[in-house]
Amino acid sequence: MKNEVLIQIGVTAPAAAADGRTRDRVAQLLLKRGATTAAELGAALGLSPAAIRKHLDAMLAESLVETRELRQNKPRGRGRPAKAFVLTAAAREDLNPHHYDGIATAALRWISQQHGPEAVSAFAAAQVEALEERCRAALDVAGRDPIARAEALAEVLTAEGYAANASTIASGGQLCQHHCPVAHVAAEFPQLCDAETEVISRLIGTHVQRLATIAHGDGVCTTHIPAPHATTAITVRTDT
């Protein structure tokens, strides 16, 4: 019996450790990419469909991931709608703990009470100044095209810990940030999101629109960048 137990421990402990490492890789990939299908996760991690399903089922049971119906531009055929997996808020918190959220929120409450909401906006603008300067230096080589600048900005934001990516869509471009360092504080003080959106607009060089934010319960901070439109010259006759 003793030998049997030792054999079981010798087999299961390494397997459990390997499972844990794989799930960590799945979680990190979801943090970086946002909503991702099981097939995409399996392909990125070199896992078979059965193996990735096993890990995702375990993470679902532990409330580490949740499913969402995948939006598709093309008409869907027969069968079940495709599902994507995203990290839960608790899982994102574990991967990126916010130890100072409480004191930051208390400080902003004090500023708001003493000096009004405009002071909170001024504080938020001041906080993103350094980030804007670092990003601007990296975007100097991206040219003037807004979509190209969004792609360059995504790389810089990822290096800053925002896990960002940019993609081209029919109406222009989309900048997605899969992690927000101030999400918990911004839930109460949206001025932080507003200041960040203004920075994105200035850096890209065009008006942008925030479609979703992690602070308000969305899985990803999504910013829409309209496609650059060619200007048409109009000749106005003045001799009539």
Side-chain angles (χ1 to χ4, degrees), residues 20 23 29 39 73 100 150 207 216 228 235 237:
R23 285 169 204 171
L29 194 58
N73 296 325
Y100 300 104
H207 169 74
H216 291 98
T235 304
R237 296 191 62 183

Side-chain angles (χ1 to χ4, degrees), residues 123-214:
F123 172 83
Q127 284 297 107
V128 294
E129 275 183 7
L131 174 65
E132 181 174 1
E133 286 307 311
R134 292 194 297 273
C135 291
R136 190 175 297 283
L139 263 63
D140 284 345
V141 294
R144 299 181 63 182
D145 177 67
I147 309 303
R149 292 182 71 83
E151 291 172 349
L153 179 58
E155 291 184 14
V156 185
L157 289 175
T158 295
E160 293 280 343
Y162 288 82
N165 70 281
S167 57
T168 303
I169 56 176
S171 57
Q174 195 163 267
L175 177 69
C176 294
Q177 296 157 245
H178 303 286
H179 171 56
C180 174
V182 295
H184 289 67
V185 185
E188 184 172 343
F189 295 98
Q191 294 97 322
L192 296 171
C193 294
D194 295 341
E196 188 178 277
T197 304
E198 289 173 9
V199 165
I200 292 172
S201 177
R202 288 196 296 268
L203 288 170
I204 290 176
T206 187
H207 169 74
V208 300
Q209 182 183 8
R210 266 279 163 88
L211 304 179
T213 61
I214 294 171

Side-chain angles (χ1 to χ4, degrees), residues 43-55:
L45 298 174
L47 296 173
S48 67
I52 195 66
R53 284 286 177 189
K54 181 188 80 168
H55 292 296

